[in-house]
Amino acid sequence: MKVGDRVRINKSVIVYHHPSHKNEPFDVKGLEGEVIGIVVEWQGRPVSANLPVLVQFDKKFRGHFREDEVEIIS
């Protein structure tokens, strides 16, 4: 998986920061987006992030996910 890949969320993941559902549980399973970052370092130091894959879904919504929660689509 690399920056620029199109991905789909393949597991049930509940978020509370979706712009259309503020402060309400929202399941992002099935949403498609683009990988905009893989978190491997912070301020020049290596890190082991729990949710390393950063996915942009639309202009206002993005989220961090585990590698097993996303699948690459073509």
Side-chain angles (χ1 to χ4, degrees):
M1 193 172 310
K2 61 188 182 309
V3 173
D5 285 347
R6 294 282 305 162
V7 294
R8 178 183 303 119
I9 307 303
N10 62 2
K11 293 188 177 181
S12 181
V13 179
I14 304 296
V15 298
Y16 290 85
H17 66 283
H18 190 278
S20 301
H21 305 278
K22 264 305 198 203
N23 298 324
E24 297 175 9
F26 181 74
D27 191 359
V28 294
K29 182 177 181 179
L31 287 183
E32 296 179 2
E34 180 179 338
V35 175
I36 60 171
I38 306 290
V39 179
V40 292
E41 67 176 36
W42 184 71
Q43 294 184 347
R45 295 183 299 197
V47 296
S48 59
N50 293 334
L51 306 170
V53 181
L54 180 58
V55 178
Q56 181 83 39
F57 295 101
D58 59 24
K59 187 183 261 186
K60 294 183 177 184
F61 179 55
R62 63 183 178 178
H64 290 267
F65 300 92
R66 293 184 188 95
E67 290 181 1
D68 66 333
E69 295 173 335
V70 296
E71 64 183 357
I72 298 174
I73 56 176
S74 49

